[in-house]
Coordinates of all heavy atoms in Angstrom, one line a residue:
R143 N -17.9 -25.4 238.7 CA -17.8 -25.4 240.2 C -18.6 -24.3 240.8 O -19.3 -24.4 241.7 CB -16.4 -25.4 240.7 CG -15.7 -26.8 240.8 CD -14.4 -26.6 241.5 NE -13.8 -27.9 241.8 CZ -13.0 -28.6 241.1 NH1 -12.7 -28.2 239.8 NH2 -12.5 -29.8 241.5
Q144 N -18.4 -23.1 240.2 CA -19.0 -21.9 240.8 C -20.6 -22.0 240.7 O -21.3 -21.7 241.7 CB -18.6 -20.6 240.0 CG -19.2 -19.3 240.6 CD -18.8 -18.1 239.8 OE1 -17.8 -18.1 239.1 NE2 -19.6 -17.0 239.9
M145 N -21.1 -22.4 239.6 CA -22.5 -22.5 239.4 C -23.1 -23.6 240.3 O -24.2 -23.5 240.8 CB -22.9 -22.7 238.0 CG -22.9 -21.4 237.2 SD -23.8 -21.5 235.6 CE -25.5 -21.7 236.1
V146 N -22.4 -24.7 240.4 CA -22.9 -25.8 241.2 C -23.0 -25.3 242.7 O -24.0 -25.6 243.4 CB -21.9 -27.0 241.1 CG1 -22.2 -28.0 242.3 CG2 -22.0 -27.7 239.8
A147 N -22.0 -24.6 243.1 CA -22.0 -24.0 244.5 C -23.2 -23.1 244.7 O -23.9 -23.2 245.7 CB -20.7 -23.3 244.8
E148 N -23.5 -22.3 243.7 CA -24.7 -21.4 243.8 C -26.0 -22.2 243.9 O -26.9 -21.8 244.7 CB -24.7 -20.5 242.6 CG -23.5 -19.5 242.6 CD -23.4 -18.7 241.3 OE1 -24.3 -18.9 240.4 OE2 -22.5 -17.8 241.1
K149 N -26.1 -23.2 243.1 CA -27.3 -24.0 243.1 C -27.4 -24.8 244.4 O -28.5 -24.9 244.9 CB -27.3 -25.0 241.9 CG -27.1 -24.4 240.5 CD -28.4 -23.9 240.0 CE -28.2 -23.4 238.6 NZ -29.5 -22.9 238.0
L150 N -26.3 -25.3 244.9 CA -26.4 -26.1 246.2 C -26.8 -25.2 247.3 O -27.5 -25.6 248.2 CB -25.0 -26.7 246.5 CG -24.6 -27.8 245.6 CD1 -23.2 -28.3 246.0 CD2 -25.6 -29.0 245.6
A151 N -26.4 -23.9 247.2 CA -26.9 -22.9 248.3 C -28.4 -22.8 248.3 O -29.0 -22.6 249.3 CB -26.1 -21.6 248.1
L152 N -28.9 -22.8 247.1 CA -30.4 -22.7 246.9 C -31.1 -23.9 247.5 O -32.1 -23.8 248.2 CB -30.8 -22.5 245.5 CG -30.5 -21.1 244.8 CD1 -30.8 -21.2 243.3 CD2 -31.4 -20.1 245.5
T153 N -30.5 -25.1 247.2 CA -31.2 -26.3 247.7 C -31.1 -26.4 249.2 O -32.1 -26.9 249.8 CB -30.5 -27.6 247.1 OG1 -29.2 -27.7 247.7 CG2 -30.4 -27.5 245.6
E154 N -30.1 -25.8 249.8 CA -30.0 -25.9 251.3 C -31.2 -25.2 251.9 O -31.7 -25.6 253.0 CB -28.7 -25.2 251.7 CG -28.4 -25.4 253.2 CD -27.1 -24.8 253.6 OE1 -26.3 -24.3 252.8 OE2 -26.7 -24.9 254.8
S155 N -31.6 -24.1 251.3 CA -32.7 -23.3 251.9 C -34.1 -24.0 251.7 O -35.1 -23.6 252.4 CB -32.8 -21.9 251.2 OG -33.2 -22.0 249.9
S156 N -34.1 -25.0 250.9 CA -35.4 -25.7 250.6 C -35.8 -26.7 251.6 O -37.0 -27.1 251.7 CB -35.4 -26.4 249.2 OG -34.5 -27.5 249.3
G157 N -34.9 -27.2 252.4 CA -35.2 -28.2 253.4 C -35.4 -29.6 252.7 O -36.0 -30.5 253.3
C158 N -35.0 -29.7 251.5 CA -35.2 -31.0 250.7 C -34.6 -32.1 251.4 O -33.6 -32.0 252.2 CB -34.7 -30.8 249.3 SG -32.9 -30.5 249.2
F159 N -35.1 -33.3 251.2 CA -34.6 -34.5 251.9 C -33.4 -35.1 251.2 O -32.7 -36.0 251.7 CB -35.6 -35.6 252.1 CG -36.3 -36.2 250.9 CD1 -35.6 -37.2 250.2 CD2 -37.5 -35.7 250.4 CE1 -36.2 -37.7 249.0 CE2 -38.1 -36.2 249.3 CZ -37.4 -37.2 248.6
A160 N -33.1 -34.7 249.9 CA -32.0 -35.2 249.2 C -31.7 -34.2 248.0 O -32.6 -33.4 247.6 CB -32.2 -36.6 248.6
V161 N -30.5 -34.2 247.5 CA -30.2 -33.4 246.3 C -29.6 -34.4 245.2 O -28.9 -35.3 245.6 CB -29.1 -32.4 246.6 CG1 -28.7 -31.6 245.4 CG2 -29.7 -31.4 247.6
A162 N -30.0 -34.1 244.0 CA -29.5 -35.0 242.9 C -28.7 -34.2 241.9 O -28.8 -32.9 241.8 CB -30.6 -35.7 242.2
M163 N -27.8 -34.9 241.1 CA -27.2 -34.3 240.0 C -27.3 -35.2 238.8 O -26.9 -36.4 238.9 CB -25.7 -34.0 240.2 CG -24.9 -33.5 239.0 SD -23.3 -32.9 239.3 CE -23.6 -31.3 240.0
D164 N -27.8 -34.8 237.7 CA -27.9 -35.6 236.5 C -26.7 -35.5 235.7 O -26.6 -34.7 234.7 CB -29.2 -35.4 235.7 CG -29.4 -33.9 235.4 OD1 -28.7 -33.0 236.0 OD2 -30.3 -33.6 234.5
V165 N -25.6 -36.3 236.0 CA -24.4 -36.2 235.4 C -24.4 -36.5 233.9 O -23.6 -36.1 233.1 CB -23.3 -37.0 236.0 CG1 -23.0 -36.5 237.4 CG2 -23.7 -38.5 236.1
D166 N -25.5 -37.3 233.5 CA -25.6 -37.6 232.1 C -26.1 -36.4 231.3 O -26.0 -36.4 230.0 CB -26.6 -38.8 231.9 CG -27.9 -38.6 232.7 OD1 -28.0 -37.6 233.5 OD2 -28.8 -39.5 232.6
A167 N -26.5 -35.3 231.9 CA -26.8 -34.1 231.2 C -25.6 -33.5 230.6 O -25.7 -32.5 229.8 CB -27.5 -33.1 232.1
A168 N -24.4 -34.0 230.9 CA -23.2 -33.5 230.2 C -23.3 -33.6 228.7 O -22.6 -32.9 228.0 CB -22.0 -34.4 230.7
G169 N -24.2 -34.4 228.2 CA -24.3 -34.5 226.7 C -25.3 -33.6 226.1 O -25.5 -33.5 224.9
L170 N -25.9 -32.7 226.9 CA -26.9 -31.7 226.4 C -26.1 -30.6 225.7 O -25.1 -30.1 226.2 CB -27.8 -31.2 227.5 CG -28.7 -32.2 228.1 CD1 -29.5 -31.6 229.3 CD2 -29.7 -32.8 227.1
P171 N -26.6 -30.1 224.6 CA -25.9 -29.1 223.8 C -25.5 -27.8 224.6 O -24.4 -27.3 224.5 CB -26.8 -28.7 222.7 CG -27.6 -30.0 222.5 CD -27.8 -30.5 223.8
F172 N -26.4 -27.3 225.4 CA -26.1 -26.1 226.1 C -25.1 -26.2 227.2 O -24.4 -25.3 227.6 CB -27.4 -25.4 226.7 CG -28.0 -26.2 227.9 CD1 -27.6 -25.8 229.2 CD2 -28.9 -27.2 227.8 CE1 -28.1 -26.5 230.3 CE2 -29.5 -27.8 228.9 CZ -29.1 -27.5 230.1
L173 N -24.9 -27.5 227.7 CA -23.8 -27.7 228.6 C -22.5 -27.9 227.9 O -21.4 -27.6 228.4 CB -24.1 -28.9 229.5 CG -25.0 -28.6 230.8 CD1 -25.4 -29.8 231.5 CD2 -24.2 -27.7 231.7
K174 N -22.5 -28.6 226.7 CA -21.3 -28.8 225.9 C -20.6 -27.5 225.6 O -19.4 -27.4 225.5 CB -21.6 -29.6 224.7 CG -21.9 -31.0 224.9 CD -22.1 -31.7 223.5 CE -22.2 -33.2 223.7 NZ -22.4 -33.9 222.4
N175 N -21.4 -26.4 225.3 CA -20.9 -25.2 224.9 C -20.8 -24.1 226.0 O -20.5 -23.0 225.8 CB -21.8 -24.6 223.8 CG -21.9 -25.5 222.6 OD1 -20.9 -26.2 222.2 ND2 -23.1 -25.7 222.0
F176 N -20.9 -24.6 227.2 CA -20.9 -23.7 228.4 C -19.5 -23.2 228.7 O -18.6 -23.9 228.6 CB -21.5 -24.4 229.6 CG -22.0 -23.5 230.7 CD1 -23.2 -22.8 230.5 CD2 -21.3 -23.3 231.8 CE1 -23.6 -21.9 231.5 CE2 -21.7 -22.4 232.8 CZ -22.9 -21.8 232.7
E177 N -19.5 -21.9 229.1 CA -18.2 -21.3 229.5 C -18.4 -20.6 230.9 O -19.4 -19.8 231.0 CB -17.7 -20.3 228.5 CG -17.2 -20.9 227.2 CD -15.9 -21.7 227.5 OE1 -15.2 -21.5 228.5 OE2 -15.6 -22.6 226.7
P178 N -17.5 -20.8 231.9 CA -16.5 -21.8 231.9 C -17.0 -23.2 231.7 O -18.2 -23.5 232.0 CB -15.8 -21.7 233.3 CG -16.3 -20.3 233.8 CD -17.6 -20.1 233.2
P179 N -16.2 -24.2 231.3 CA -16.6 -25.5 230.9 C -17.4 -26.2 232.0 O -17.2 -26.1 233.2 CB -15.3 -26.3 230.6 CG -14.4 -25.2 230.3 CD -14.7 -24.0 231.1
A180 N -18.5 -26.9 231.6 CA -19.3 -27.7 232.4 C -19.4 -29.1 231.8 O -19.0 -29.3 230.7 CB -20.7 -27.1 232.6
G181 N -20.0 -30.0 232.6 CA -20.2 -31.4 232.0 C -19.7 -32.5 232.9 O -20.1 -32.5 234.1
S182 N -19.0 -33.4 232.4 CA -18.6 -34.6 233.1 C -17.9 -34.2 234.4 O -17.2 -33.2 234.5 CB -17.6 -35.5 232.3 OG -18.2 -35.9 231.1
K183 N -18.1 -35.1 235.5 CA -17.6 -34.8 236.8 C -16.7 -36.0 237.2 O -17.0 -37.1 237.0 CB -18.7 -34.6 237.8 CG -19.5 -33.4 237.6 CD -18.8 -32.1 237.9 CE -19.6 -30.9 237.6 NZ -19.2 -30.2 236.4
S184 N -15.6 -35.7 237.8 CA -14.7 -36.7 238.4 C -15.2 -37.2 239.7 O -16.1 -36.5 240.3 CB -13.2 -36.1 238.5 OG -13.2 -35.1 239.6
V185 N -14.6 -38.3 240.2 CA -15.0 -38.8 241.5 C -14.7 -37.7 242.6 O -15.5 -37.5 243.5 CB -14.2 -40.1 241.8 CG1 -14.3 -40.5 243.3 CG2 -14.6 -41.2 240.9
E186 N -13.5 -37.0 242.4 CA -13.2 -36.0 243.3 C -14.2 -34.8 243.3 O -14.5 -34.3 244.4 CB -11.8 -35.4 243.0 CG -10.6 -36.4 243.3 CD -10.6 -37.6 242.3 OE1 -11.1 -37.4 241.1 OE2 -10.1 -38.6 242.6
E187 N -14.6 -34.4 242.2 CA -15.6 -33.3 242.1 C -16.9 -33.7 242.7 O -17.6 -32.9 243.4 CB -15.8 -32.9 240.6 CG -14.6 -32.2 240.1 CD -14.8 -31.9 238.6 OE1 -15.0 -32.9 237.8 OE2 -14.7 -30.7 238.2
L188 N -17.4 -34.9 242.5 CA -18.6 -35.4 243.1 C -18.4 -35.5 244.6 O -19.3 -35.2 245.4 CB -19.0 -36.8 242.6 CG -19.4 -36.8 241.1 CD1 -19.7 -38.3 240.7 CD2 -20.6 -35.9 240.9
G189 N -17.2 -35.9 245.1 CA -16.9 -35.9 246.5 C -17.0 -34.5 247.1 O -17.5 -34.4 248.3
E190 N -16.6 -33.5 246.4 CA -16.7 -32.1 246.9 C -18.2 -31.8 247.2 O -18.5 -31.1 248.1 CB -16.1 -31.2 245.9 CG -14.6 -31.3 245.8 CD -14.0 -30.4 244.7 OE1 -14.8 -29.6 244.1 OE2 -12.8 -30.5 244.4
I191 N -19.1 -32.2 246.3 CA -20.5 -31.9 246.4 C -21.0 -32.7 247.7 O -21.8 -32.1 248.5 CB -21.3 -32.4 245.2 CG1 -20.8 -31.5 244.0 CG2 -22.8 -32.3 245.4 CD1 -21.4 -32.0 242.6
V192 N -20.6 -33.9 247.8 CA -21.0 -34.7 249.0 C -20.6 -33.9 250.3 O -21.4 -33.8 251.2 CB -20.4 -36.1 249.0 CG1 -20.7 -36.8 250.3 CG2 -21.0 -36.9 247.9
T193 N -19.4 -33.4 250.3 CA -18.9 -32.7 251.5 C -19.8 -31.4 251.7 O -20.1 -31.1 252.8 CB -17.5 -32.3 251.3 OG1 -16.7 -33.5 251.2 CG2 -16.9 -31.5 252.5

Side-chain angles (χ1 to χ4, degrees):
R143 274 188 169 91
Q144 179 182 341
M145 280 194 69
V146 167
E148 292 171 0
K149 302 280 185 174
L150 291 180
L152 285 172
T153 68
E154 185 176 2
S155 67
S156 73
C158 58
F159 63 82
V161 174
M163 174 173 281
D164 51 345
V165 293
D166 47 356
L170 296 176
F172 71 90
L173 275 172
K174 284 184 174 182
N175 301 320
F176 198 77
E177 288 295 337
S182 302
K183 295 286 178 255
S184 67
V185 170
E186 290 71 26
E187 287 173 305
L188 293 178
E190 291 172 6
I191 296 171
V192 171
T193 300

